[in-house]
Each structure stands twice: as C-alpha cells, then as structure tokens.
Amino acid sequence: APYSTPASFSADRGRSAKATVKLYTPLQLAIFSAASGAFGLAFALWTNYRSLGKVTESRLTVLAGVMVGLLQCSEALLFKTAPPGLGALIVVGLTIAGMLIAHRTQLSKKQIAQSELYACRSALSVTMWCAVWLVASMIFALCVIVAWQKVFGYSSLTSR
C-alpha cells in the first residue's frame, strides 16, 4: 500500500490535515483589487464564496465584477473630461469596497487561522493570480478600446 501521511501530521505548524479549504484573506483581496483591478477582485471573492458554499453571493460577485470591470476598463472612453486621477480613485474605492465586503461576508485572517476546516492561500497563489488577471484585464481593456474606436470612429484616445 502507498504511504499516507497520518491525519495528526501537518507541515502547517501543527494544523490538522483536515484544513483543506483554502481562502483568501481580506488583505489578499485588497492586493487583488489594487494589483489586478475589478476582474481580479471578483475572481478572488468568487473563489472564496464558492469555497464557503455561498452560491448566490458567488453569482452576484461575477455579475458585479463584470459591470465594475467594464467601467474600470472604459473610464477613459466614457469620461473624456474626467480628472486624470479618476482611474486611481476607482482602484482605491474598489480596494476599500473589496475589504469591506470580505470583512462583512467572509472570514477574517484570524478566523481562518483558528479554523480546523480552512487555511489561508499562499502568497504565491495571490501573486500568480494577480498577474493572470492583470494581463486579462489589459487584454480586455484593449478589446474595449478597439471596439469603441470601430463603433464611434475615434482615431485617438488622447484627444480629450
């Protein structure tokens, strides 16, 4: 028979082997938001809700993430006379909103650490998924810009 690790052993500082459900902490969700925007934040919240068995919240997160992601990707097109800091303001607002949502509807880092069922996701996971969603957001934003130019005929986005 193949070797199996005893249930009492864990490489995670004495935590039992039952801790198999990985969750992002509120701080990790804020990092997602700041580093990869609405799509990355929506992915991380959706992942947590699915892991917690909250199906309705996970579906609403996808819908809200797409809507806010569209706004974030097209803010330069929609608000031609907007102040230059609008993009940064959207990111800051999104980061704060993500942390508030996580604190109110999901587990805190302390609750995850004290739980026998849950464990925090690794920093490598956060970094990898942030990079994936950052690239995906950039590609999506480029598609929005190209589609906008084709539909409305703008030759340059720099002419505000």
Side-chain angles (χ1 to χ4, degrees):
Y3 175 76
S4 64
T5 307
S8 61
F9 176 81
S10 174
D12 189 15
R13 298 187 184 133
R15 180 174 282 196
S16 74
K18 293 179 185 177
T20 57
V21 180
K22 302 272 186 179
L23 295 173
Y24 293 108
T25 66
L27 180 59
Q28 288 173 327
L29 290 168
I31 292 168
F32 261 102
S33 176
S36 58
F39 295 123
L41 176 62
F43 166 77
L45 284 169
W46 173 78
T47 302
N48 273 6
Y49 283 132
R50 281 193 46 223
S51 297
L52 293 168
K54 296 181 174 185
V55 177
T56 303
E57 289 88 344
S58 68
R59 289 180 182 156
L60 290 172
T61 298
V62 170
L63 179 64
V66 168
M67 290 171 42
V68 174
L70 282 171
L71 173 68
Q72 189 177 21
C73 288
S74 60
E75 61 93 9
L77 300 169
L78 295 174
F79 306 112
K80 290 220 175 260
T81 58
L86 181 63
L89 187 62
I90 290 173
V91 170
V92 169
L94 193 59
T95 302
I96 292 169
M99 286 190 74
L100 288 174
I101 290 168
H103 279 293
R104 290 186 180 166
T105 64
Q106 298 181 358
L107 301 176
S108 68
K109 183 177 181 177
K110 184 177 179 181
Q111 291 169 320
I112 295 170
Q114 292 174 346
S115 171
E116 290 289 324
L117 180 61
Y118 302 110
C120 294
R121 290 202 181 256
S122 69
L124 179 62
S125 171
V126 173
T127 304
M128 180 194 70
W129 281 111
C130 279
V132 166
W133 284 105
L134 177 62
V135 170
S137 295
M138 293 164 109
I139 292 170
F140 183 78
L142 183 61
C143 291
V144 167
I145 290 169
V146 168
W148 187 274
Q149 286 179 338
K150 287 188 183 230
V151 170
F152 296 106
Y154 291 125
S155 60
S156 174
L157 293 175
T158 58
S159 60
R160 286 188 174 206

